[in-house]
Amino acid sequence: MINPFIQRIFQSRQARNGGLVRRNIGWVNFLASMEQLEAEVRRRGFHMFVVGDQVLILCNSGGLQVVC
């Protein structure tokens, strides 16, 4: 069963529309875990980045190209 906090992340308008979702790592670890979040991101075929104290999830399974 998916953690309710993680479920709400993917029910957000940004996630449903294939956009970018940003969450603070501290909150992720307080309400769920980075491991649970990573597993759900992988299950959905999305992309996840850690930048400083933030986790960024690209809710799109399309190709990814880093420009700079």
Side-chain angles (χ1 to χ4, degrees), residues 14-25:
Q14 296 92 333
R16 290 193 323 264
N17 291 334
L20 176 71
V21 175
R22 178 178 58 90
R23 294 293 183 272
N24 181 280
I25 292 173

Side-chain angles (χ1 to χ4, degrees), residues 10-57:
F10 294 104
Q11 290 173 341
S12 69
R13 184 180 332 147
Q14 296 92 333
R16 290 193 323 264
N17 291 334
L20 176 71
V21 175
R22 178 178 58 90
R23 294 293 183 272
N24 181 280
I25 292 173
W27 278 110
V28 172
N29 285 323
F30 181 70
L31 297 170
S33 75
M34 287 293 288
E35 292 80 15
Q36 289 175 324
L37 181 58
E38 182 180 343
E40 188 61 21
V41 169
R42 287 182 186 275
R43 187 184 77 75
R44 293 170 182 261
F46 294 165
H47 307 283
M48 185 169 90
F49 302 90
V50 174
V51 181
D53 66 346
Q54 301 290 308
V55 61
L56 306 173
I57 303 166

